[in-house]
Amino acid sequence: MAYTDDAVKAKLSALNETQEGIVTVAQWVMFHRRHAERTGQLWLQKLRDSPAPKRLNLIYLANEVVQQSKARRKDDFVVAFSPIIAEATAIAYKGSSNDIQQKLRRVVEVWRQRQIFELPIQEAVEARVDEIDKSRSTGKKPLLGGSLFSNSSGSTPPELQPLVPLQSTLSKATLASVGPTAMANGEYDKLHDSNTPLPPPPVHAARLSQLLKALANAESSVSEVIRSRRLLIDGLEKLLETNRSALLKEQATAAQLKERKAETEATKREVEDGIMRGLSAENSPPVSHGDLGVEGESITRPEVEALTPPPVEALTPVGSPKQAAQETNSGAAPTQPQILGGFTLPGFGNSIDSSFSLAGLPSMEMSEHQLDGSNGLHAKKRKVTHEEEDYAQFASGDLDADVAELLKQESDAQQ
């Protein structure tokens, strides 16, 4: 069947909701891809004149055509449907039942996932659908796309509300510029195609005039997009600056809270340590020091002389007479020394009587095992011998009269 407007309208009228019927019509449309722009305009006109169930079938047809064209890397129908797809989706969505709207939402989500259309076109489609949902008085459906300016509950934060109209204006301007830009570029390519022969000069001049108008129209639409995008960027920069200032304040507050937290923790530890020290003092019994009545005070211990006595030799003067030997018994208790009117030599238990004879001094000996009367230590065996010269020093000195008499008698007896 040759391509005519009537043929296209007939194919669209015969379209049913079965997959086979949709695929058959889509193959016929793609076969005439040279007329993609005209087919798109006829398709939009048919969608406007059709009831809600028929509109869903026409959306399914457009979905099959653009997806197959994208897979075959033939963008003729993608370019043809891009300027009109947002309006067509809004027409099919508005006034439809909840079941049809859910199916249309599913188609729009597939376009986003598979990136069928450019991002501005996709956002424009979702924005038109969201506007219809907001205008409805009963129930709210989840918004499409999960963009920055929408959430699952359909409400916009107050900080982002000034940006919503800017984004909406940008989306509409972008959508409006797609068609003129694509048309101007297409006419320019055809006119400058090296394989196409040049027409007669009058026709060539007329086509150049049409190209100038198309380029001017496309330039104007793109300039509007640029203006809208700059306004949105300014709004975003203001929002960013506000958040940066808030961030600095929050960081300062966080640092102050951290410092106060550390200070509070240190104070808490000190208080807990004080409590533990108080409990330890209460549980400890008081220390009593007799009549002094002092508790808890440490008293310095007195220094005590060592218990080990000095050796006997350290206490025995050089040249002193020996002590009389004593018979000691292991079972007998030591006797205390008695002073009988004489004198007692240091380190000896018995005193020397005044009638003591010095004749026995040369032969006096002390047993090695004899115990000292004062400290019970074993004295070392020792022999003391007195010669005549030992007593000469006493004769020349001022001696006691009794001692001098004794020394004289001893000397005469030896002669």
Side-chain angles (χ1 to χ4, degrees):
M1 181 184 295
Y3 182 88
T4 60
D5 292 352
D6 294 335
V8 174
K9 292 179 181 179
K11 289 290 184 181
L12 296 177
S13 299
L15 183 65
N16 54 48
E17 60 183 359
T18 61
Q19 182 178 2
E20 183 179 356
I22 294 174
V23 171
T24 301
V25 176
Q27 290 178 351
W28 185 86
V29 171
M30 286 187 293
F31 179 76
H32 300 282
R33 62 184 181 85
R34 292 180 299 175
H35 307 283
E37 185 178 352
R38 181 57 182 170
T39 302
Q41 294 175 359
L42 295 173
W43 172 83
L44 179 60
Q45 185 62 39
K46 182 64 177 178
L47 188 141
R48 288 172 178 169
D49 299 338
S50 301
K54 189 70 174 181
R55 292 172 181 174
L56 178 62
N57 296 336
L58 291 172
I59 293 294
Y60 282 157
L61 175 63
N63 176 63
E64 179 69 18
V65 171
V66 293
Q67 287 206 48
Q68 291 296 330
S69 300
K70 193 79 171 180
R72 298 176 184 180
R73 298 181 180 179
K74 303 294 184 180
D75 296 336
D76 304 77
F77 285 99
V78 176
V79 174
F81 278 98
S82 292
I84 60 175
I85 192 63
E87 181 183 357
T89 305
I91 293 172
Y93 191 83
K94 187 176 181 180
S96 301
S97 63
N98 186 40
D99 184 41
I100 293 177
Q101 288 181 350
Q102 293 298 329
K103 292 178 180 179
L104 290 173
R105 282 177 170 277
R106 177 56 185 164
V107 173
V108 175
E109 289 292 340
V110 170
W111 292 344
R112 170 176 281 276
Q113 293 172 2
R114 300 183 181 180
Q115 299 179 355
I116 301 301
F117 297 101
E118 295 181 357
L119 184 59
I121 304 301
Q122 181 69 32
E123 291 178 351
V125 174
E126 295 174 358
R128 295 292 294 272
V129 174
D130 292 340
E131 288 177 1
I132 296 174
D133 284 339
K134 291 179 181 179
S135 64
R136 297 180 61 178
S137 59
T138 59
K140 291 184 179 180
K141 297 179 177 59
L143 301 180
L144 295 169
S147 62
L148 176 64
F149 308 101
S150 62
N151 52 33
S152 58
S153 62
S155 61
T156 303
E159 297 80 5
L160 301 179
Q161 287 180 357
L163 301 177
V164 174
L166 298 178
Q167 178 64 34
S168 179
T169 302
L170 175 61
S171 299
K172 292 179 181 179
T174 303
L175 180 62
S177 66
V178 172
T181 302
M183 184 180 299
N185 291 329
E187 291 182 2
Y188 181 86
D189 293 337
K190 290 179 181 179
L191 191 60
H192 292 81
D193 188 4
S194 58
N195 297 326
T196 303
L198 290 176
V203 177
H204 193 197
R207 290 182 178 179
L208 288 175
S209 298
Q210 293 178 357
L211 178 59
L212 287 175
K213 292 180 181 180
L215 292 173
N217 189 17
E219 183 183 5
S220 176
S221 61
V222 173
S223 298
E224 183 65 21
V225 174
I226 294 173
R227 188 185 68 83
S228 301
R229 194 172 298 280
R230 284 178 176 173
L231 292 176
L232 179 60
I233 291 174
D234 292 340
L236 290 172
E237 288 179 349
K238 292 179 181 179
L239 179 62
L240 182 60
E241 185 64 26
T242 303
N243 282 274
R244 284 177 177 172
S245 301
L247 178 61
L248 294 176
K249 294 181 180 179
E250 291 165 355
Q251 289 176 345
T253 303
Q256 183 182 17
L257 293 175
K258 184 177 180 181
E259 181 180 355
R260 292 182 175 181
K261 178 183 175 184
E263 180 182 355
T264 305
E265 289 179 352
T267 306
K268 177 175 174 291
R269 286 194 298 268
E270 292 178 0
V271 173
E272 290 177 348
D273 293 342
I275 294 174
M276 296 304 296
R277 287 194 297 268
L279 293 176
S280 300
E282 293 177 359
N283 295 333
S284 300
V287 181
S288 177
H289 295 282
D291 297 337
L292 298 178
V294 181
E295 294 183 5
E297 296 182 1
S298 59
I299 299 178
T300 306
R301 296 181 60 187
E303 295 183 0
V304 182
E305 188 177 356
L307 297 178
T308 304
V312 177
E313 293 81 351
L315 303 176
T316 304
V318 179
S320 62
K322 292 185 179 180
Q323 182 184 8
Q326 297 180 353
E327 296 292 333
T328 59
N329 191 352
S330 59
T335 59
Q336 296 294 332
Q338 297 179 357
I339 302 175
L340 302 175
F343 62 90
T344 303
L345 293 177
F348 294 91
N350 297 330
S351 60
I352 300 176
D353 192 15
S354 60
S355 60
F356 175 77
S357 176
L358 297 178
L361 289 176
S363 62
M364 290 178 61
E365 293 182 359
M366 294 180 64
S367 174
E368 182 178 359
H369 300 286
Q370 183 178 357
L371 293 175
D372 189 289
S374 61
N375 51 26
L377 295 177
H378 294 283
K380 191 173 181 181
K381 186 176 181 180
R382 182 175 179 184
K383 182 177 181 180
V384 181
T385 305
H386 297 281
E387 299 296 338
E388 216 175 294
E389 58 272 11
D390 294 335
Y391 302 100
Q393 56 182 344
F394 296 101
S396 60
D398 295 334
L399 299 178
D400 187 70
D402 295 334
V403 176
E405 182 66 25
L406 290 175
L407 292 176
K408 183 179 180 181
Q409 293 177 3
E410 180 70 20
S411 177
D412 294 342
Q414 289 181 358
Q415 292 177 0

